[in-house]
Amino acid sequence: MNSSLERYTERVEQYASRFSRFPLFLDVTMVLALIGCAFFGTQLSFPGVVRPDTGKSLEVLLGLSCFVLLKYRTHTRTVVVVVAGVTIAAIARGYLLTPMLLAPLLAAMYWLAVLCDRRTVRLYALVVTVALLTVNLFSDGMRDLSPVLTVIGPVFWMALPLVGGSLARLRGDYLEAVKARAEHAERTREEEARLRVTEERMRIARELHDVVAHHLALANAQAGTAAHLSRSNPEQSRKILDDLTGTTSAALRELKATLGLLRQDDRPKGEGLEPAPGLARLPELIDSYRSAGLEVVVHQDGVRRPLTPGVDLTAYRIVQEALTNVAKHAPERAAHVGFTYADSRLLITVSNDGPATAVDGTSGGFGLRGMRERAQSIGGDLCAGPRPEGGFEVTTALPLQPSAAVEGESP
């Protein structure tokens, strides 16, 4: 039964959607049907009651009032006033009040309930109903009925279009609200997609900057040192040039791994890509700087903890970028890297000796900003600036995931 009703409802909605493309055709059809109803209503009367003789003029006026309904969309209140006036005049002349005679007025009241606000609907419904009942009580066509039936009939028939129109308006408001929510959700999804794309672009930009800046600065330092030692110490110069080859190869590998993340292919996840670097590769990083002539001292306080991949990568990149800044800007060829494991934080400090403004020029570039963004992206923070005793210092505090402490050597 329910399936049959659903199929019937779907067919009605399909037909309604097809005909809704031609509103004028629907309006004209409605007007012709109402004219037929009104004319048929004028022919009804109680047995033994003579129909009023109005010379067909009032019947023609009823038919003409139906054409006013063509303007129900733009002049809803005027349509109600005109149709109600003609209908009340017909009842006053002795026509029997029937649903057929009231059909044009019921249609006008329906559209009033659909298109107008509730206060207007209540006011017009009250005035029209009271006028209709007053005329109907003294009409010759209703003299044989009790006053109770004379009142109940009009009130019942007038209530139907008002209730139907109110329900239709509520359904329309509901559909509009659903549509608005869907549009809002669509806009929200688009904004979230744009935000994700922007965040991904920033992440890739930071990664590329760290890779390129580190290796180019290191290669430049190694090439400069090799050129300086080429005459006084050829053996050391050749060793540095061999390290330079390893530096450029590492740069190419990291660039390939980073750019490979942008490719959309059918390879299994991670195939052909190197794992993201972490503090486990810190000795290799320190050795590369030492080969370029930068003396790096590493110390650790507290018991080493295992890090999540995101924190591990962030810690490695911050140390890498900070040492790159020291290699590029600091006149003193020495740096200090400290790791302090607290209860819930890993404190990393990278500092160098020398004049207080030695590395301060990097604050306007992308290096410090990228380090700060990396730290904030995982819930940490970063501070950088000249030290009172001279030199420059980068300090970051990164969150530790609660886990069992493991012993290990310093990074």
Side-chain angles (χ1 to χ4, degrees):
M1 180 66 180
N2 292 334
S3 59
S4 301
L5 181 59
E6 291 177 357
R7 287 196 299 268
Y8 176 76
T9 304
E10 290 178 358
R11 290 180 181 178
V12 171
E13 291 180 351
Q14 291 175 358
Y15 289 130
S17 62
R18 291 177 184 176
F19 285 111
S20 62
R21 303 174 185 174
F22 310 99
L24 182 60
F25 173 78
L26 291 177
D27 292 346
V28 172
T29 303
M30 176 190 69
V31 167
L32 294 178
L34 292 175
I35 291 175
C37 291
F39 176 77
F40 183 74
T42 59
Q43 308 302 312
L44 298 177
S45 62
F46 286 115
V49 177
V50 180
R51 290 192 303 111
D53 184 13
T54 59
K56 303 296 183 180
S57 59
L58 196 55
E59 296 176 8
V60 173
L61 190 60
L62 276 172
L64 293 177
S65 68
C66 294
F67 284 99
V68 180
L69 288 167
L70 293 174
K71 295 293 184 180
Y72 71 86
R73 292 186 177 89
T74 57
H75 300 81
T76 309
R77 298 173 180 84
T78 304
V79 168
V80 171
V81 171
V82 172
V83 176
V86 175
T87 304
I88 292 173
I91 297 173
R93 291 297 302 270
Y95 284 101
L96 180 63
L97 191 152
T98 63
M100 305 300 283
L101 186 67
L102 288 178
L105 179 59
L106 298 181
M109 296 302 296
Y110 172 82
W111 289 115
L112 180 74
V114 171
L115 301 175
C116 295
D117 59 275
R118 295 181 179 178
R119 183 177 180 181
T120 301
V121 173
R122 294 192 189 101
L123 177 61
Y124 277 74
L126 179 62
V127 173
V128 172
T129 304
V130 170
L132 199 64
L133 291 177
T134 302
V135 174
N136 194 42
L137 286 173
F138 298 98
S139 173
D140 294 337
M142 305 294 290
R143 65 177 60 179
D144 294 334
L145 292 180
S146 65
V148 176
L149 296 178
T150 305
V151 171
I152 291 177
V155 171
F156 175 77
W157 291 113
M158 288 296 294
L160 289 180
L162 296 176
V163 173
S166 299
L167 293 177
R169 184 182 61 191
L170 291 176
R171 184 174 183 273
D173 294 341
Y174 171 76
L175 293 178
E176 287 294 330
V178 170
K179 182 179 178 182
R181 286 197 298 269
E183 293 176 352
H184 175 71
E186 184 66 24
R187 288 194 302 270
T188 303
R189 283 194 295 269
E190 293 176 356
E191 292 174 359
E192 290 178 352
R194 286 195 296 268
L195 181 60
R196 286 194 295 269
V197 169
T198 302
E199 291 176 348
E200 185 65 13
R201 288 174 57 192
M202 293 298 297
R203 187 189 68 81
I204 294 172
R206 287 195 301 266
E207 198 72 18
L208 288 175
H209 173 271
D210 292 345
V211 172
V212 174
H214 160 64
H215 288 97
L216 287 182
L218 186 59
N220 180 68
Q222 290 173 332
T225 304
H228 178 71
L229 298 175
S230 60
R231 294 185 180 180
S232 60
N233 194 341
E235 292 296 330
Q236 183 66 20
S237 177
R238 280 195 297 271
K239 182 179 182 303
I240 293 176
L241 290 177
D242 291 339
D243 294 337
L244 177 60
T245 302
T247 300
T248 55
S249 299
L252 291 175
R253 286 196 305 271
E254 289 204 34
L255 281 175
K256 180 180 178 181
T258 302
L259 296 176
L261 296 176
L262 301 176
R263 297 173 182 165
Q264 300 292 333
D265 51 27
D266 297 330
R267 294 182 304 173
K269 184 177 181 181
E271 182 179 329
L273 302 178
E274 291 187 352
L279 292 182
R281 291 178 54 181
L282 188 62
E284 177 185 342
L285 178 68
I286 300 301
D287 290 341
S288 66
Y289 281 106
R290 287 172 176 168
S291 67
L294 178 66
E295 184 62 31
V296 182
V297 178
V298 181
H299 65 276
Q300 173 185 309
D301 293 327
V303 181
R304 184 178 178 181
R305 312 280 187 85
L307 305 178
T308 61
V311 175
D312 200 17
L313 174 62
T314 300
Y316 178 86
R317 290 302 189 197
I318 288 177
V319 173
Q320 182 187 58
E321 180 61 25
L323 291 177
T324 300
N325 288 340
V326 173
K328 290 194 298 184
H329 301 283
E332 300 292 336
R333 309 298 292 171
H336 304 275
V337 180
F339 296 88
T340 301
Y341 289 88
D343 293 336
S344 60
R345 293 266 173 171
L346 168 61
L347 181 67
I348 303 176
T349 303
V350 181
S351 60
N352 66 284
D353 299 326
T357 58
V359 196
D360 195 27
T362 62
S363 60
F366 294 102
L368 292 181
R369 186 170 70 183
M371 288 190 288
R372 187 171 289 107
E373 290 175 352
R374 280 186 178 277
Q376 292 174 351
S377 67
I378 61 171
D381 51 29
L382 183 140
C383 298
R387 298 193 305 171
E389 64 272 20
F392 198 84
E393 184 176 76
V394 174
T395 303
T396 181
L398 305 179
L400 288 173
Q401 185 181 33
S403 58
V406 295
E407 295 184 358
E409 298 179 356
S410 63

